[in-house]
Amino acid sequence: MTSLSNTPWDELEIGMEAEIRRICRADDFFVFANITGNMNPKHFPRMKDLEGDDALQEPVAPAMWVSTLVASAVGNKLPGPGTLYKSHNVEFFERAHAGDELVIRVRVTDKLDNHVARLACRVDTTEGKKLLRGCVEVYVPLERMDYQAEEIPGLIVHKHVHFDKLLAEAEPLPPIRTAVVAPETDDSLLGALLAFDHTIINPILIGDEARIHAAAKAVDRDISGFELIHEPNQRMAAALGVRLVHENRAQAVMKGNLHTDDLLGQVVKREGGLRIGRRLSHVFVMDVPGLTHLLLISDAAINIAPDLETKLDITQNAIDLAHSLGIAEPKVGILSAVETVTTKIPSTLDAAAISKMAERGQIKGALGAGPLAMDNAINIGAARTKGIRSMVAGQADILIAPNLESANMLAKELTFIAHAEAGGLVIGAKCPVILTSRADGHKARLVSCAVAALHAHRGQFL
């Protein structure tokens, strides 16, 4: 809680001064854009469409955002709480950029009629760059006010920098030939086409030819240059996609508009499927606003109630994918409802066993800890409050859920409540299997393809 006090009219004197400091952050500029509707790309980072020196600069602070900082000096410091604006007249000089620290100063120059005061204002960087000069006129409160400022609601800027990084890493790689099964709706087709546009995949379209052409027409795309194999039976189309992998004509399989069971039924067949000995599992790769790293969650789509042996494969699959995504030694949190081992909750026993196996090298390439509840797996403050100290607690890169229901709910809560973006991949097969949902947006489908391409290249499938 912040304590604020004002200087009422009778105590205000000419020559009084106040100062505040503020560091420019790119997130501030995104918030300002949402408030004002000013979408000038000069104010945003990662200006991909600009060329020359402008493309390399930190984003420029909007001048009007800089001027609003004067209001914080007036409203918080001098005259302080209870002050209301009458006029604001400023001139701008040099520009501030993200990362600059600004010094905002105000000084009382005149006391006018009707309890109006005029204050000179200036804003500079701590390095001496002159940004703003001007004056404001304000209505000064008549009575003293001591104000305890309650915590105001925080803001999270919904940006997905981790996914942007994955796309940037995948695009320079040779595109992987991908059997896209039943891309017979505009969404399922467009996801594959967007990945082609980003040079991530070369799609082979398998399904009902008429429906695929209708979907292409709906999204106004010409697909005459793509290989298209007519197979109206979706189960047979899935079998054909698997066969293309065995024939080395495809390096990945992507789900279009068909039931997951129809696709995976062909993938897991003992004869002619894509199994390689380990249990298959699904991994959500999530970009959660406010989280400083990617978050992998498994298994949310295939293994309903996995036993300990299956959980070991689920865990190793997720670790292998994390390696492909550039996480050299991922931290794996084995989840349960509590962080203590108890026979009353069987998942705590599995978690403890997996944690010990990771410690002894039976699970390779990661640090593991469990059982962990969700709070102390992902929040280091919660872990310390409960006295849990490990290299994993509070900073897990991978979350292994007790069962399919809990993993699925966790991933979808992050997507639809916390505004995370999610990509999905089936791991443990002869090749990556891109398993998207009908509810997925274009970005999720595109990132799923990028994850598949990175895993195909770095996981030594090719």
Side-chain angles (χ1 to χ4, degrees):
M1 186 177 293
T2 302
S3 179
L4 301 175
S5 298
N6 69 356
T7 303
W9 175 259
D10 290 342
E11 299 178 25
L12 190 72
E13 297 179 1
I14 293 174
M16 283 184 167
E17 297 181 339
E19 172 186 306
I20 64 170
R21 297 191 175 212
R22 174 70 176 263
I23 295 177
C24 288
R25 301 179 305 142
D27 281 1
D28 293 325
F29 309 160
F30 286 121
V31 172
F32 188 78
N34 276 276
I35 293 171
T36 64
N38 178 4
M39 301 300 171
N40 183 348
K42 278 282 193 177
H43 305 317
F44 306 141
R46 304 178 64 86
M47 296 180 290
K48 295 180 180 179
D49 296 332
L50 297 182
E51 297 179 355
D53 293 340
D54 284 341
L56 303 176
Q57 290 182 352
E58 290 290 342
V60 178
M64 294 307 296
W65 176 81
V66 173
S67 74
T68 62
L69 300 180
V70 174
S72 64
V74 169
N76 293 340
K77 291 281 191 175
L78 186 69
T83 302
L84 296 174
Y85 254 76
K86 182 175 184 292
S87 67
H88 187 105
N89 184 17
V90 298
E91 183 178 359
F92 302 100
F93 298 91
E94 296 186 74
R95 303 296 174 184
H97 296 83
D100 287 342
E101 184 177 6
L102 308 188
V103 184
I104 303 96
R105 300 183 178 92
V106 293
R107 179 173 55 84
V108 180
T109 60
D110 294 285
K111 295 181 70 174
L112 308 175
D113 295 336
N114 299 319
H115 307 112
V116 172
R118 182 180 292 125
L119 293 88
C121 57
R122 59 184 292 171
V123 181
D124 305 281
T125 69
T126 53
E127 296 177 348
K129 188 189 297 184
K130 177 181 176 182
L131 304 179
L132 175 152
R133 296 290 185 272
C135 68
V136 297
E137 293 185 359
V138 298
Y139 295 102
V140 181
L142 301 181
E143 298 178 351
R144 174 167 292 282
M145 181 183 295
D146 295 313
Y147 177 61
Q148 299 297 318
E150 300 285 348
E151 290 289 338
I152 63 172
L155 297 175
I156 296 177
V157 177
H158 298 155
K159 58 184 180 181
H160 300 97
V161 295
H162 307 306
F163 275 5
D164 292 340
K165 181 174 180 291
L166 292 182
L167 291 172
E169 291 178 0
E171 287 177 3
L173 299 173
I176 58 173
R177 297 184 305 277
T178 302
V180 186
V181 181
E184 297 167 356
T185 61
D186 50 357
D187 283 340
S188 59
L189 177 62
L190 189 56
L193 296 181
L194 286 174
F196 170 78
D197 293 342
H198 284 260
T199 68
I200 295 171
I201 71 170
N202 278 330
I204 303 169
L205 309 177
I206 309 170
D208 186 291
E209 185 174 2
R211 290 183 178 181
I212 294 173
H213 278 293
K217 184 176 181 181
V219 296
D220 194 26
R221 292 293 297 259
D222 177 10
I223 60 171
S224 60
F226 297 107
E227 182 178 358
L228 194 160
I229 302 173
H230 176 62
E231 177 48 73
N233 183 296
Q234 292 189 340
R235 187 168 297 179
M236 295 301 296
L240 182 53
V242 168
R243 194 173 78 202
L244 293 181
V245 175
H246 286 293
E247 295 173 353
N248 293 321
R249 294 173 59 192
Q251 299 158 311
V253 176
M254 182 175 183
K255 176 180 176 285
N257 186 49
L258 77 163
H259 289 296
T260 299
D261 289 347
D262 287 338
L263 178 62
L264 292 184
Q266 301 300 319
V267 171
V268 302
K269 285 174 62 175
R270 293 191 180 276
E271 297 294 331
L274 299 177
R275 296 168 66 162
I276 56 174
R278 190 187 294 172
R279 287 293 296 265
L280 272 67
S281 58
H282 179 272
V283 183
F284 270 118
V285 180
M286 310 203 71
D287 190 339
V288 185
L291 201 60
T292 58
H293 55 84
L294 285 170
L295 184 66
L296 279 61
I297 298 174
S298 193
D299 175 3
I302 296 179
N303 298 284
I304 298 173
D307 57 16
L308 176 58
E309 186 175 354
T310 302
K311 286 181 181 178
L312 295 177
D313 283 348
I314 290 171
T315 302
Q316 192 65 61
N317 285 340
I319 292 168
D320 291 349
L321 180 59
H323 291 164
S324 296
L325 300 182
I327 307 172
E329 191 176 42
K331 301 176 179 67
V332 183
I334 317 299
L335 295 182
S336 186
V338 295
E339 61 280 348
T340 54
V341 179
T342 171
T343 57
K344 295 179 180 179
I345 306 178
S347 61
T348 65
L349 302 176
D350 288 349
I354 296 171
S355 177
K356 179 57 70 174
M357 294 169 84
E359 181 182 317
R360 295 184 174 181
Q362 291 174 263
I363 294 173
K364 301 183 184 303
L367 300 173
L372 294 174
M374 179 62 184
D375 57 347
N376 46 63
I378 208 70
N379 184 281
I380 199 164
R384 288 176 177 170
T385 297
K386 294 189 176 182
I388 304 171
R389 296 187 179 276
S390 77
M391 294 294 290
V392 175
Q395 46 192 337
D397 303 297
I398 299 171
L399 299 177
I400 303 298
N403 51 43
L404 183 145
E405 296 104 308
S406 56
N408 194 280
M409 286 186 282
L410 173 58
K412 289 181 178 176
E413 285 164 357
L414 288 173
T415 300
F416 292 99
I417 296 177
H419 306 285
E421 288 276 9
L425 209 62
V426 174
I427 307 297
K430 184 180 175 65
C431 73
V433 179
I434 304 165
L435 197 65
T436 56
S437 167
R438 285 170 292 179
D440 285 342
H442 300 319
K443 182 73 172 286
R445 296 173 190 269
L446 177 60
V447 170
S448 294
C449 292
V451 171
L454 291 170
H455 192 49
H457 284 282
R458 297 172 178 174
Q460 298 181 343
F461 288 95
L462 305 183

